[in-house]
Amino acid sequence: RGGRVTKSQLLSCRSGKLTPSQVAKNIIAMLEDCDKSTPPLRAIVQWDQEQIMLMAEASTARYRNKCTLSYLDGIPVCLKEEFKVVPYHHRVGTVFLGTEPETEDATVAKKLREAGAIIIGVSNMHELGTGTTGCNPNRYHRIPRNPYKPNHFTGGSSSGSAAAVAAGLCPVAIGTDGGGSVRIPASFCGVVGLKGTFGRISCHGSLPLSYSTVSVGPICTSVADAAIVYSILAEPDPLYPYGLKQPKATLSDMCAPDLKGLKLGVDWTFFKDAICALPVLCAAVEHLQSLGASVVEVSLPEMEEVQVAHAICILSEMRDFLQPDFNKHFQEMNLETRATLAMASQFTALDYITANRQRTRSMTFLREIFTTVNCILTPAVASTAPRIYESDLLTGSSNLSFTIRSMRFMQLGNFTGIPGLVVPVGYSTAGLPIGFQASISSLCVMAKWWDEAVLLRIGLKLEQFRNQTKKPSIYYDILA
């Protein structure tokens, strides 16, 4: 873990000691074991042995002929079921969508194939991305388990993606993030989660649940792995207009030996809200200071307004897009999804317009803040992963107070489009992961929404703070 899977597999493949085909056979055996275990992991919900082996054998031939396609050649990856991936069903966590196998890949799936990655399947998700626990009791999905404590949730909505990476099934998974859906499960499962700037990575081929808040990003074993995936996926896509005007993605200064010259913005109010993890989080900040960064106290204004406005925007857009399904498939939806979409129907056009005015205000505040600091540091989630109860397995879980609490530090990034990175920094006394988030922009006004390089630079140093990586109770060694 911590990036060793990707690095060691590459070295072994190049030397001929290990081939992608051998790794693929291991993964297939492990996927079979996942389905039979008690309780089932339910990280990968659709996979195909023949498809996996075809990609693996093609990669093995490329290594043999010394003509690999990228650093991801031969690397196992999975994609959230929100993406179209040939030949799987595009169910998006439901029982009523994706009745036929897909015949065309989403842009990110296509790019991963072109990079030589081995797509091992599509991963579980919260139904229609409407929650942050990952609880999805329907017959196609069931509830994915947190590899650190199988009686706890993974977080959502990219639940299976985080569980697959934490459990060792693959070092890379792709998720979507409209309200923390990459970063929350990454935090709960003790892995790295990157939400790119809005529009940075193409959403084409994913269900457009919320067109103004959702970004795509990788969930990985390490910051270095996230950087590799980001460098391959981050570029304009003619099929996705929101990202057409983006500047070129770079990783400049990512591997600088220190953080000298960087100013880290901290709003201590956020840290006090994560009181149980406060000692670890403060120590992580001190670690960054020891590497030359300076801490600047900042105040993030109107955060309660941001929370309400973000909820209005994302839920209004989801409710609008899902109107036909809400009418036609209401009885087939999970109870929680019905309640969420019914609540969303109460928002008015005036609510939506007012919420978007708040977005303009918040982006203006951020532009001002980012003239004085290079990044904003916050906790990832104010709590560790919640427990799964027997009733959740049957009827699901609906806990609005937990949903609001889990999204507290996430919504600003989705609402304004700035990038965010979650890096695990420690563990609770119960052995569950504690995450740390850095929402980044640079001093340059035009670059601040596209400065993932600074974000990854700080992430690498945060990763060094955690001196121990605990192996989850559910863990598969795909290189064994």
Side-chain angles (χ1 to χ4, degrees):
R1 286 172 53 82
R4 288 193 296 273
V5 172
T6 300
K7 185 177 180 181
S8 58
Q9 187 177 341
L10 279 171
L11 293 175
S12 297
C13 288
R14 286 171 180 168
S15 67
K17 293 178 181 177
L18 183 70
T19 68
S21 296
Q22 289 171 304
V23 174
K25 288 175 184 175
N26 290 346
I27 292 172
I28 290 166
M30 292 164 185
L31 288 171
E32 291 172 343
D33 181 75
C34 286
D35 289 340
K36 296 173 185 175
S37 62
T38 306
L41 180 61
R42 298 306 294 162
I44 307 295
V45 290
Q46 297 183 61
W47 58 279
D48 183 277
Q49 178 174 336
E50 184 179 351
Q51 289 290 319
I52 295 171
M53 289 309 302
L54 281 173
M55 286 181 276
E57 287 163 3
S59 179
T60 299
R62 289 193 293 272
Y63 273 101
R64 188 185 305 119
N65 296 324
K66 294 182 171 52
C67 59
T68 51
L69 300 173
S70 77
Y71 284 117
L72 286 185
D73 206 325
I75 302 300
V77 305
C78 68
L79 293 94
K80 185 179 183 179
E81 201 180 54
E82 195 168 330
F83 294 99
K84 294 180 179 181
V85 183
V86 179
Y88 304 109
H89 295 265
H90 189 214
R91 292 187 176 124
V92 201
T94 73
V95 297
F96 53 85
L97 295 176
T99 55
E100 298 294 328
E102 281 304 313
T103 56
E104 185 177 348
D105 279 329
T107 295
V108 289
K110 181 182 177 185
K111 283 182 172 294
L112 289 169
R113 288 190 202 275
E114 291 171 349
I118 301 171
I119 298 174
I120 66 169
V122 293
S123 50
N124 208 340
M125 63 176 288
H126 205 109
E127 186 179 56
L128 294 170
T130 55
T132 61
T133 59
C135 184
N136 190 353
N138 73 44
R139 66 180 182 272
Y140 286 145
H141 298 87
R142 301 301 176 191
I143 297 176
R145 303 301 180 124
N146 191 314
Y148 277 92
K149 281 191 177 291
N151 61 340
H152 285 248
F153 286 116
T154 58
S157 63
S158 305
S159 49
S161 296
V165 172
L169 291 172
C170 53
V172 173
I174 307 299
T176 59
D177 191 316
S181 288
V182 161
R183 293 161 293 156
I184 292 170
S187 178
F188 282 166
C189 292
V191 291
V192 172
L194 171 65
K195 180 197 87 73
T197 302
F198 177 76
R200 176 63 101 176
I201 299 174
S202 175
C203 282
H204 176 72
S206 67
L207 201 69
L209 294 167
S210 171
Y211 55 83
S212 77
T213 69
V214 174
S215 296
V216 177
I219 296 174
C220 300
T221 54
S222 73
V223 174
D225 290 349
I228 291 170
V229 179
Y230 165 77
S231 68
I232 288 172
L233 298 182
E235 66 177 2
D237 175 11
L239 300 174
Y240 185 63
Y242 296 117
L244 288 179
K245 299 295 185 180
Q246 65 177 274
K248 184 175 177 59
T250 70
L251 298 176
S252 58
D253 295 327
M254 177 184 157
C255 296
D258 55 43
L259 298 177
K260 289 178 180 177
L262 292 185
K263 295 179 180 179
L264 316 179
V266 175
D267 187 332
W268 292 108
T269 305
F270 277 8
F271 280 72
K272 291 171 185 174
D273 288 344
I275 190 68
C276 294
L278 190 57
V280 174
L281 296 174
C282 288
V285 174
E286 291 173 2
H287 169 73
L288 297 178
Q289 286 180 283
S290 72
L291 293 169
S294 58
V295 170
V296 178
E297 188 168 350
V298 297
S299 176
L300 298 173
E302 301 183 3
M303 287 306 297
E304 289 188 11
E305 289 83 351
V306 166
Q307 289 178 303
V308 174
H310 168 265
I312 290 170
C313 285
I314 189 171
L315 289 175
S316 296
E317 290 167 7
M318 292 176 77
R319 182 65 176 81
D320 173 62
F321 178 76
L322 293 169
Q323 173 70 19
D325 299 297
F326 189 72
N327 291 334
K328 186 177 180 181
H329 299 291
F330 180 82
Q331 295 299 330
E332 297 169 88
M333 292 178 176
N334 291 337
L335 295 174
E336 180 192 15
T337 307
R338 298 184 208 175
T340 300
L341 293 178
M343 177 180 67
S345 67
Q346 301 305 304
F347 296 131
T348 66
L350 180 59
D351 293 331
Y352 186 74
I353 292 168
T354 304
N356 276 285
R357 285 176 177 155
Q358 178 63 47
R359 194 198 307 262
T360 302
R361 286 178 61 84
S362 297
M363 292 175 77
T364 302
F365 293 145
L366 280 177
R367 286 192 185 97
E368 180 63 27
I369 289 170
F370 284 129
T371 62
T372 59
V373 299
N374 298 93
C375 74
I376 299 167
L377 301 179
T378 74
V381 187
S383 64
T384 52
R387 181 166 182 166
I388 299 170
Y389 294 96
E390 285 297 317
S391 59
D392 300 333
L393 303 174
L394 299 174
T395 57
S397 172
S398 183
N399 186 336
L400 190 57
S401 64
F402 169 78
T403 301
I404 294 170
R405 194 165 67 250
S406 63
M407 293 170 63
R408 175 167 169 73
F409 308 131
M410 302 290 162
Q411 291 170 290
L412 182 64
N414 295 109
F415 193 49
T416 64
I418 59 175
L421 177 73
V422 161
V423 178
V425 293
Y427 303 91
S428 70
T429 53
L432 288 164
I434 297 170
F436 199 74
Q437 177 177 236
S439 298
I440 304 301
S441 186
S442 76
L443 291 172
C444 176
V445 174
M446 294 304 294
K448 58 196 172 195
W449 263 257
W450 307 97
D451 204 355
E452 286 86 350
V454 176
L455 183 152
L456 293 163
R457 176 183 172 186
I458 294 171
L460 281 175
K461 298 300 183 278
L462 267 177
E463 213 166 37
Q464 296 170 2
F465 167 76
R466 187 177 58 165
N467 57 15
Q468 180 188 16
T469 301
K470 295 181 180 178
K471 184 181 288 188
S473 58
I474 300 176
Y475 185 72
Y476 296 94
D477 185 353
I478 61 174
L479 303 185

